Amino acid sequence: MKKIFRFSFARPEQFHAVGRRKLADFSGYELPGELLTDDLHLTASPDFYCGVRDLAAPQLARLIPYENLVMRSEFARFFAKRCRSAAKLGATYVTADFDLAHALANDEMRRKLQCFLKGLFGILAENHLTLLVPVRIPAVPDGAAARDIRDFCRGLLYPGIGLYLDFHPHEPGAFDFVQTLAELRFDARYWRIYFEPERGNQLTVPLLEKLFAALENTAVPQAEIAIAPGNTVPDGVALAALSETVAHFTGEA
C-alpha cells in the first residue's frame, strides 16, 4: 500500500513558524482554514498546498446546518469564498467538521444536515474540491457508528464528499478499530493522525507500524496521512524528529 504523508497545521502560527519551505519527507501541507483571508499572499502550488483543514471553524460548522435560511445563505457565501481561495492555492480537498457522529443520531438533524450538504455540491464542483468529513477514532460516546456515517455520505450520491478518519492514537481504545476498518474498507484513504506533544505524546515508528498493519486489511491502495502535532508551534528539533519518523516509511531513511 502506498503511503503519502502531509503536515497538518492547526493554527496560522504553526504555519508561519515553519515558513514556506517544504519539509523533508512530507509531500505537502494541509493549511488551516484561518489562513484563507483577504490578505493571504501565497503562491499557488498544487504539489505543496494539498488541502485545507477546517475550512470553517468547528464551532460554526456544527451549528450552521440547523440555523435559519438567512444564516445558512451567509455561510454558503463564506464557504464559497474560502473554497475559491483553496482552489487557487492548488488544494484538492477541504475538511469541515459538521459533527456527523451526533447529528446522525437524531432524525430531524440528519434530514437538515443532508439538505444543507446538498446545497454545497455546486460550490465544490465549481472549484474541483472534495469535502472530507471527519470520523473520530476512537468514536465519541453516544455517537453514530462509523458505518452509519459512511452510509450517510454515500447516500448523498455525490462523489465529492468523503470520509476523513481523525485518529487519536494516544487515547484509550484508539487501536480497537479493526472492526471499524472492515466496515470502511473502501473509505479508509484519508487520515489525520492527531497527537499532543505538549502532553508528552509523540508519533513513533512502532505506533505507525501498528496502524499500517491494520490498513493492509482494507481495499485502499493508497493512504493519505496528515500528521497533526496538536496546537504547539513546532521547533526545529521536533520537526526533524517527525521527518525522521516519516522517512522510515517513505524509504528515504
Side-chain angles (χ1 to χ4, degrees):
M1 179 183 62
K2 183 178 180 181
K3 306 172 186 68
I4 296 175
F5 290 90
R6 296 171 180 143
F7 195 96
S8 178
F9 295 98
R11 299 185 294 130
E13 292 85 351
Q14 289 179 317
F15 175 75
H16 293 311
V18 173
R20 300 178 187 183
R21 66 186 185 276
K22 190 169 184 177
L23 294 175
D25 305 301
F26 287 88
S27 68
Y29 286 165
E30 184 180 85
L31 299 175
E34 292 176 73
L35 272 180
L36 302 185
T37 60
D38 291 334
D39 60 351
L40 177 65
H41 301 291
L42 293 178
T43 303
S45 177
D47 295 326
F48 198 19
Y49 305 121
C50 306
V52 175
R53 169 181 176 174
D54 292 329
L55 196 71
Q59 301 94 315
L60 173 62
R62 293 171 182 175
L63 295 176
I64 201 66
Y66 319 107
E67 295 294 344
N68 59 51
L69 178 60
V70 173
M71 294 187 68
R72 296 198 310 272
S73 298
E74 183 63 28
F75 178 86
R77 286 189 287 271
F78 163 83
F79 187 85
K81 184 176 181 180
R82 285 206 165 175
C83 279
R84 286 193 294 271
S85 296
K88 286 179 181 178
L89 287 175
T92 59
Y93 70 87
V94 297
T95 80
D97 186 359
F98 296 105
D99 196 11
L100 263 67
H102 283 128
L104 301 189
N106 179 289
D107 288 341
E108 182 178 0
M109 292 177 69
R110 174 192 289 260
R111 179 184 60 78
K112 289 183 177 181
L113 181 58
Q114 183 181 55
C115 291
F116 177 79
L117 290 175
K118 286 183 176 180
L120 304 180
F121 289 179
I123 298 171
L124 295 169
E126 179 184 351
N127 292 284
H128 305 287
L129 291 170
T130 296
L131 172 62
L132 299 179
V133 180
V135 177
R136 198 180 193 283
I137 300 174
V140 295
D142 302 320
R147 65 178 178 274
D148 295 328
I149 298 175
R150 175 205 63 193
D151 291 344
F152 174 81
C153 290
R154 289 183 180 179
L156 293 171
L157 301 178
Y158 180 66
I161 293 183
L163 302 185
Y164 200 32
L165 303 185
D166 192 18
F167 186 47
H168 297 244
H170 295 95
E171 293 188 8
F175 278 93
D176 299 336
F177 60 76
V178 175
Q179 181 60 35
T180 297
L181 285 182
E183 296 164 346
L184 301 177
R185 57 185 284 110
F186 297 103
D187 301 272
R189 174 177 175 178
Y190 294 98
W191 290 75
R192 179 165 58 215
I193 301 181
Y194 182 87
F195 62 104
E196 297 175 291
E198 59 269 32
R199 294 190 177 185
N201 298 328
Q202 300 298 326
L203 191 66
T204 64
V205 168
L207 186 152
L208 288 176
E209 286 178 333
K210 191 174 181 179
L211 171 63
F212 294 144
L215 277 176
E216 292 295 342
N217 296 319
T218 72
V220 177
Q222 175 173 293
E224 302 189 27
I225 302 140
I227 304 298
N231 290 307
T232 59
V233 176
D235 58 22
V237 174
L239 291 173
L242 281 176
S243 290
E244 184 177 349
T245 298
V246 168
H248 180 86
F249 299 96
T250 59
E252 298 177 12

Short mmCIF file of all heavy atoms in Angstrom, two decimals, residues 179-222:
data_model
loop_
_atom_site.label_atom_id
_atom_site.label_comp_id
_atom_site.label_asym_id
_atom_site.label_seq_id
_atom_site.Cartn_x
_atom_site.Cartn_y
_atom_site.Cartn_z
N GLN A 179 -12.54 -3.65 13.55
CA GLN A 179 -13.89 -3.83 13.00
C GLN A 179 -14.33 -2.60 12.23
O GLN A 179 -14.97 -2.70 11.18
CB GLN A 179 -14.88 -4.12 14.14
CG GLN A 179 -16.32 -4.36 13.67
CD GLN A 179 -16.44 -5.54 12.73
OE1 GLN A 179 -15.72 -6.53 12.88
NE2 GLN A 179 -17.32 -5.45 11.75
N THR A 180 -13.96 -1.44 12.73
CA THR A 180 -14.31 -0.21 12.03
C THR A 180 -13.69 -0.19 10.64
O THR A 180 -14.34 0.16 9.65
CB THR A 180 -13.82 1.01 12.82
OG1 THR A 180 -14.50 1.06 14.07
CG2 THR A 180 -14.10 2.31 12.06
N LEU A 181 -12.43 -0.58 10.54
CA LEU A 181 -11.76 -0.58 9.24
C LEU A 181 -12.38 -1.59 8.29
O LEU A 181 -12.45 -1.38 7.08
CB LEU A 181 -10.27 -0.86 9.41
CG LEU A 181 -9.43 0.29 9.95
CD1 LEU A 181 -7.97 -0.12 10.02
CD2 LEU A 181 -9.58 1.53 9.09
N ALA A 182 -12.85 -2.71 8.83
CA ALA A 182 -13.51 -3.70 7.98
C ALA A 182 -14.77 -3.11 7.37
O ALA A 182 -15.10 -3.37 6.20
CB ALA A 182 -13.85 -4.94 8.80
N GLU A 183 -15.46 -2.27 8.12
CA GLU A 183 -16.68 -1.63 7.61
C GLU A 183 -16.38 -0.49 6.65
O GLU A 183 -17.21 -0.14 5.80
CB GLU A 183 -17.51 -1.11 8.79
CG GLU A 183 -18.02 -2.22 9.71
CD GLU A 183 -18.50 -1.70 11.04
OE1 GLU A 183 -18.20 -0.53 11.36
OE2 GLU A 183 -19.14 -2.47 11.77
N LEU A 184 -15.19 0.07 6.76
CA LEU A 184 -14.83 1.22 5.93
C LEU A 184 -13.76 0.85 4.90
O LEU A 184 -13.00 1.69 4.45
CB LEU A 184 -14.30 2.36 6.81
CG LEU A 184 -15.24 2.88 7.89
CD1 LEU A 184 -14.55 3.96 8.71
CD2 LEU A 184 -16.51 3.43 7.28
N ARG A 185 -13.72 -0.41 4.50
CA ARG A 185 -12.59 -0.91 3.72
C ARG A 185 -12.38 -0.17 2.40
O ARG A 185 -11.28 -0.13 1.86
CB ARG A 185 -12.72 -2.40 3.46
CG ARG A 185 -13.98 -2.84 2.76
CD ARG A 185 -14.04 -4.37 2.66
NE ARG A 185 -13.14 -4.87 1.63
CZ ARG A 185 -12.05 -5.55 1.86
NH1 ARG A 185 -11.67 -5.80 3.08
NH2 ARG A 185 -11.29 -5.99 0.86
N PHE A 186 -13.43 0.45 1.86
CA PHE A 186 -13.28 1.23 0.63
C PHE A 186 -13.21 2.74 0.91
O PHE A 186 -13.14 3.53 -0.03
CB PHE A 186 -14.43 0.93 -0.34
CG PHE A 186 -14.46 -0.51 -0.80
CD1 PHE A 186 -15.38 -1.39 -0.26
CD2 PHE A 186 -13.56 -0.97 -1.74
CE1 PHE A 186 -15.40 -2.73 -0.67
CE2 PHE A 186 -13.57 -2.30 -2.16
CZ PHE A 186 -14.51 -3.18 -1.62
N ASP A 187 -13.27 3.11 2.16
CA ASP A 187 -13.37 4.53 2.52
C ASP A 187 -12.30 4.94 3.53
O ASP A 187 -12.48 5.89 4.27
CB ASP A 187 -14.75 4.83 3.11
CG ASP A 187 -15.88 4.50 2.16
OD1 ASP A 187 -16.25 5.37 1.37
OD2 ASP A 187 -16.38 3.37 2.21
N ALA A 188 -11.17 4.23 3.55
CA ALA A 188 -10.13 4.49 4.55
C ALA A 188 -8.89 5.11 3.91
O ALA A 188 -7.77 4.84 4.33
CB ALA A 188 -9.78 3.20 5.28
N ARG A 189 -9.10 5.96 2.93
CA ARG A 189 -7.96 6.54 2.23
C ARG A 189 -7.36 7.73 2.96
O ARG A 189 -6.14 7.88 3.03
CB ARG A 189 -8.39 6.98 0.82
CG ARG A 189 -7.30 7.72 0.05
CD ARG A 189 -7.76 8.05 -1.35
NE ARG A 189 -6.80 8.87 -2.07
CZ ARG A 189 -6.93 9.27 -3.32
NH1 ARG A 189 -8.01 8.91 -4.00
NH2 ARG A 189 -6.02 10.02 -3.89
N TYR A 190 -8.21 8.60 3.50
CA TYR A 190 -7.73 9.85 4.10
C TYR A 190 -7.69 9.75 5.62
O TYR A 190 -8.69 9.41 6.26
CB TYR A 190 -8.63 11.01 3.69
CG TYR A 190 -8.59 11.33 2.21
CD1 TYR A 190 -9.57 10.84 1.36
CD2 TYR A 190 -7.57 12.12 1.68
CE1 TYR A 190 -9.53 11.14 0.00
CE2 TYR A 190 -7.54 12.42 0.33
CZ TYR A 190 -8.51 11.93 -0.51
OH TYR A 190 -8.49 12.22 -1.85
N TRP A 191 -6.53 10.11 6.20
CA TRP A 191 -6.34 10.05 7.65
C TRP A 191 -5.71 11.35 8.15
O TRP A 191 -4.91 11.96 7.46
CB TRP A 191 -5.39 8.90 8.01
CG TRP A 191 -5.97 7.54 7.81
CD1 TRP A 191 -6.15 6.89 6.63
CD2 TRP A 191 -6.44 6.66 8.84
NE1 TRP A 191 -6.70 5.66 6.85
CE2 TRP A 191 -6.88 5.48 8.20
CE3 TRP A 191 -6.49 6.75 10.23
CZ2 TRP A 191 -7.40 4.40 8.90
CZ3 TRP A 191 -7.02 5.68 10.94
CH2 TRP A 191 -7.47 4.52 10.27
N ARG A 192 -6.08 11.71 9.37
CA ARG A 192 -5.32 12.72 10.10
C ARG A 192 -4.93 12.09 11.43
O ARG A 192 -5.80 11.62 12.18
CB ARG A 192 -6.14 13.99 10.34
CG ARG A 192 -5.34 15.04 11.13
CD ARG A 192 -5.97 16.42 11.07
NE ARG A 192 -7.32 16.43 11.55
CZ ARG A 192 -8.29 17.20 11.04
NH1 ARG A 192 -8.03 17.99 10.03
NH2 ARG A 192 -9.51 17.17 11.54
N ILE A 193 -3.65 12.05 11.71
CA ILE A 193 -3.15 11.47 12.96
C ILE A 193 -2.82 12.61 13.90
O ILE A 193 -1.89 13.39 13.67
CB ILE A 193 -1.93 10.57 12.71
CG1 ILE A 193 -2.31 9.45 11.74
CG2 ILE A 193 -1.43 10.01 14.03
CD1 ILE A 193 -1.18 8.50 11.44
N TYR A 194 -3.61 12.70 14.96
CA TYR A 194 -3.53 13.82 15.89
C TYR A 194 -2.86 13.38 17.19
O TYR A 194 -3.24 12.38 17.79
CB TYR A 194 -4.94 14.34 16.18
CG TYR A 194 -4.99 15.54 17.09
CD1 TYR A 194 -4.88 16.82 16.57
CD2 TYR A 194 -5.15 15.40 18.46
CE1 TYR A 194 -4.92 17.94 17.41
CE2 TYR A 194 -5.19 16.49 19.31
CZ TYR A 194 -5.07 17.76 18.77
OH TYR A 194 -5.11 18.85 19.59
N PHE A 195 -1.86 14.14 17.60
CA PHE A 195 -1.22 13.87 18.89
C PHE A 195 -0.81 15.20 19.50
O PHE A 195 -0.75 16.23 18.82
CB PHE A 195 -0.01 12.94 18.73
CG PHE A 195 1.09 13.50 17.88
CD1 PHE A 195 2.24 14.00 18.44
CD2 PHE A 195 0.97 13.52 16.49
CE1 PHE A 195 3.26 14.53 17.65
CE2 PHE A 195 1.99 14.04 15.68
CZ PHE A 195 3.13 14.55 16.28
N GLU A 196 -0.55 15.20 20.79
CA GLU A 196 -0.30 16.43 21.52
C GLU A 196 1.06 16.40 22.19
O GLU A 196 1.20 15.90 23.32
CB GLU A 196 -1.41 16.66 22.55
CG GLU A 196 -2.78 16.85 21.94
CD GLU A 196 -3.88 16.96 22.97
OE1 GLU A 196 -4.17 15.96 23.64
OE2 GLU A 196 -4.45 18.06 23.11
N PRO A 197 2.08 16.93 21.55
CA PRO A 197 3.42 16.96 22.16
C PRO A 197 3.44 17.68 23.49
O PRO A 197 4.24 17.36 24.38
CB PRO A 197 4.26 17.71 21.11
CG PRO A 197 3.52 17.52 19.82
CD PRO A 197 2.07 17.50 20.20
N GLU A 198 2.54 18.67 23.65
CA GLU A 198 2.51 19.42 24.91
C GLU A 198 2.11 18.54 26.09
O GLU A 198 2.33 18.90 27.25
CB GLU A 198 1.56 20.62 24.79
CG GLU A 198 0.12 20.29 24.47
CD GLU A 198 -0.18 20.28 22.98
OE1 GLU A 198 0.71 19.94 22.19
OE2 GLU A 198 -1.33 20.61 22.62
N ARG A 199 1.52 17.39 25.80
CA ARG A 199 1.16 16.43 26.85
C ARG A 199 2.13 15.26 26.91
O ARG A 199 1.87 14.26 27.59
CB ARG A 199 -0.27 15.91 26.61
CG ARG A 199 -1.34 16.97 26.76
CD ARG A 199 -2.71 16.35 26.76
NE ARG A 199 -3.76 17.35 26.96
CZ ARG A 199 -5.05 17.07 27.11
NH1 ARG A 199 -5.45 15.81 27.05
NH2 ARG A 199 -5.93 18.03 27.28
N GLY A 200 3.21 15.37 26.18
CA GLY A 200 4.21 14.32 26.19
C GLY A 200 3.98 13.22 25.18
O GLY A 200 4.71 12.22 25.16
N ASN A 201 2.97 13.37 24.33
CA ASN A 201 2.69 12.36 23.31
C ASN A 201 3.58 12.56 22.10
O ASN A 201 3.77 13.69 21.64
CB ASN A 201 1.22 12.41 22.88
CG ASN A 201 0.27 12.12 24.02
OD1 ASN A 201 0.61 11.34 24.91
ND2 ASN A 201 -0.90 12.72 24.00
N GLN A 202 4.08 11.47 21.56
CA GLN A 202 4.95 11.54 20.39
C GLN A 202 4.47 10.56 19.32
O GLN A 202 3.86 9.54 19.62
CB GLN A 202 6.40 11.22 20.77
CG GLN A 202 6.99 12.17 21.80
CD GLN A 202 7.07 13.61 21.32
OE1 GLN A 202 7.29 13.85 20.13
NE2 GLN A 202 6.88 14.56 22.23
N LEU A 203 4.77 10.89 18.10
CA LEU A 203 4.46 10.00 16.98
C LEU A 203 5.69 9.13 16.73
O LEU A 203 6.76 9.66 16.44
CB LEU A 203 4.12 10.80 15.74
CG LEU A 203 3.53 10.02 14.57
CD1 LEU A 203 2.16 9.46 14.94
CD2 LEU A 203 3.43 10.90 13.34
N THR A 204 5.53 7.83 16.86
CA THR A 204 6.67 6.92 16.77
C THR A 204 6.50 5.94 15.62
O THR A 204 5.38 5.71 15.14
CB THR A 204 6.84 6.14 18.07
OG1 THR A 204 5.70 5.30 18.26
CG2 THR A 204 6.99 7.07 19.26
N VAL A 205 7.61 5.34 15.23
CA VAL A 205 7.57 4.33 14.17
C VAL A 205 6.71 3.13 14.58
O VAL A 205 5.86 2.68 13.79
CB VAL A 205 9.00 3.88 13.79
CG1 VAL A 205 8.98 2.63 12.91
CG2 VAL A 205 9.73 5.03 13.08
N PRO A 206 6.86 2.56 15.80
CA PRO A 206 6.01 1.43 16.17
C PRO A 206 4.52 1.76 16.14
O PRO A 206 3.69 0.92 15.75
CB PRO A 206 6.47 1.10 17.60
CG PRO A 206 7.88 1.57 17.65
CD PRO A 206 7.90 2.82 16.81
N LEU A 207 4.16 2.97 16.54
CA LEU A 207 2.76 3.37 16.52
C LEU A 207 2.23 3.37 15.09
O LEU A 207 1.14 2.84 14.80
CB LEU A 207 2.61 4.75 17.16
CG LEU A 207 1.20 5.30 17.38
CD1 LEU A 207 1.19 6.24 18.57
CD2 LEU A 207 0.68 6.04 16.14
N LEU A 208 2.97 3.94 14.16
CA LEU A 208 2.54 3.98 12.77
C LEU A 208 2.53 2.58 12.15
O LEU A 208 1.66 2.26 11.34
CB LEU A 208 3.44 4.91 11.96
CG LEU A 208 3.25 6.40 12.23
CD1 LEU A 208 4.27 7.21 11.43
CD2 LEU A 208 1.83 6.85 11.86
N GLU A 209 3.50 1.76 12.53
CA GLU A 209 3.53 0.39 12.01
C GLU A 209 2.27 -0.37 12.42
O GLU A 209 1.72 -1.16 11.63
CB GLU A 209 4.77 -0.34 12.53
CG GLU A 209 6.06 0.11 11.85
CD GLU A 209 7.28 -0.59 12.40
OE1 GLU A 209 7.24 -1.00 13.58
OE2 GLU A 209 8.27 -0.72 11.66
N LYS A 210 1.80 -0.12 13.63
CA LYS A 210 0.59 -0.78 14.11
C LYS A 210 -0.63 -0.34 13.29
O LYS A 210 -1.48 -1.15 12.92
CB LYS A 210 0.39 -0.45 15.59
CG LYS A 210 -0.68 -1.27 16.29
CD LYS A 210 -0.69 -0.97 17.78
CE LYS A 210 -1.73 -1.81 18.50
NZ LYS A 210 -1.74 -1.55 19.98
N LEU A 211 -0.68 0.95 12.98
CA LEU A 211 -1.78 1.46 12.16
C LEU A 211 -1.73 0.87 10.75
O LEU A 211 -2.73 0.40 10.21
CB LEU A 211 -1.71 2.98 12.09
CG LEU A 211 -2.66 3.66 11.09
CD1 LEU A 211 -4.11 3.39 11.46
CD2 LEU A 211 -2.39 5.16 11.03
N PHE A 212 -0.55 0.88 10.14
CA PHE A 212 -0.44 0.42 8.76
C PHE A 212 -0.69 -1.08 8.64
O PHE A 212 -1.17 -1.55 7.61
CB PHE A 212 0.92 0.80 8.20
CG PHE A 212 1.13 2.28 8.07
CD1 PHE A 212 2.37 2.85 8.31
CD2 PHE A 212 0.07 3.12 7.75
CE1 PHE A 212 2.56 4.22 8.19
CE2 PHE A 212 0.24 4.48 7.64
CZ PHE A 212 1.49 5.04 7.87
N ALA A 213 -0.35 -1.83 9.68
CA ALA A 213 -0.64 -3.26 9.65
C ALA A 213 -2.14 -3.50 9.55
O ALA A 213 -2.60 -4.41 8.83
CB ALA A 213 -0.08 -3.94 10.91
N ALA A 214 -2.93 -2.68 10.25
CA ALA A 214 -4.38 -2.79 10.16
C ALA A 214 -4.89 -2.33 8.80
O ALA A 214 -5.83 -2.91 8.24
CB ALA A 214 -5.03 -1.98 11.28
N LEU A 215 -4.27 -1.30 8.26
CA LEU A 215 -4.71 -0.78 6.96
C LEU A 215 -4.48 -1.77 5.83
O LEU A 215 -5.17 -1.72 4.81
CB LEU A 215 -3.97 0.52 6.65
CG LEU A 215 -4.54 1.79 7.26
CD1 LEU A 215 -3.65 2.98 6.93
CD2 LEU A 215 -5.95 2.05 6.78
N GLU A 216 -3.54 -2.66 5.99
CA GLU A 216 -3.27 -3.64 4.94
C GLU A 216 -4.47 -4.54 4.70
O GLU A 216 -4.58 -5.18 3.66
CB GLU A 216 -2.04 -4.49 5.31
CG GLU A 216 -0.72 -3.73 5.30
CD GLU A 216 -0.32 -3.23 3.92
OE1 GLU A 216 -0.87 -3.74 2.92
OE2 GLU A 216 0.53 -2.32 3.85
N ASN A 217 -5.39 -4.60 5.66
CA ASN A 217 -6.57 -5.44 5.52
C ASN A 217 -7.72 -4.72 4.83
O ASN A 217 -8.81 -5.28 4.69
CB ASN A 217 -7.04 -5.93 6.90
CG ASN A 217 -6.02 -6.83 7.56
OD1 ASN A 217 -5.40 -7.66 6.91
ND2 ASN A 217 -5.82 -6.66 8.87
N THR A 218 -7.49 -3.49 4.41
CA THR A 218 -8.53 -2.75 3.71
C THR A 218 -8.32 -2.88 2.20
O THR A 218 -7.33 -3.45 1.75
CB THR A 218 -8.52 -1.26 4.09
OG1 THR A 218 -7.37 -0.63 3.51
CG2 THR A 218 -8.49 -1.08 5.60
N ALA A 219 -9.25 -2.33 1.45
CA ALA A 219 -9.15 -2.37 -0.01
C ALA A 219 -8.61 -1.07 -0.56
O ALA A 219 -8.78 -0.76 -1.74
CB ALA A 219 -10.52 -2.67 -0.62
N VAL A 220 -7.94 -0.28 0.28
CA VAL A 220 -7.42 1.02 -0.14
C VAL A 220 -5.99 0.86 -0.65
O VAL A 220 -5.11 0.44 0.10
CB VAL A 220 -7.46 2.02 1.03
CG1 VAL A 220 -6.85 3.34 0.61
CG2 VAL A 220 -8.89 2.23 1.50
N PRO A 221 -5.74 1.19 -1.93
CA PRO A 221 -4.39 1.03 -2.47
C PRO A 221 -3.43 2.12 -2.02
O PRO A 221 -2.21 1.98 -2.13
CB PRO A 221 -4.61 1.10 -3.98
CG PRO A 221 -5.83 1.96 -4.13
CD PRO A 221 -6.70 1.64 -2.94
N GLN A 222 -3.99 3.21 -1.48
CA GLN A 222 -3.15 4.35 -1.10
C GLN A 222 -3.72 5.02 0.13
O GLN A 222 -4.93 5.28 0.19
CB GLN A 222 -3.09 5.35 -2.27
CG GLN A 222 -2.34 6.63 -1.97
CD GLN A 222 -2.18 7.47 -3.23
OE1 GLN A 222 -1.49 7.10 -4.15
NE2 GLN A 222 -2.85 8.62 -3.26
#
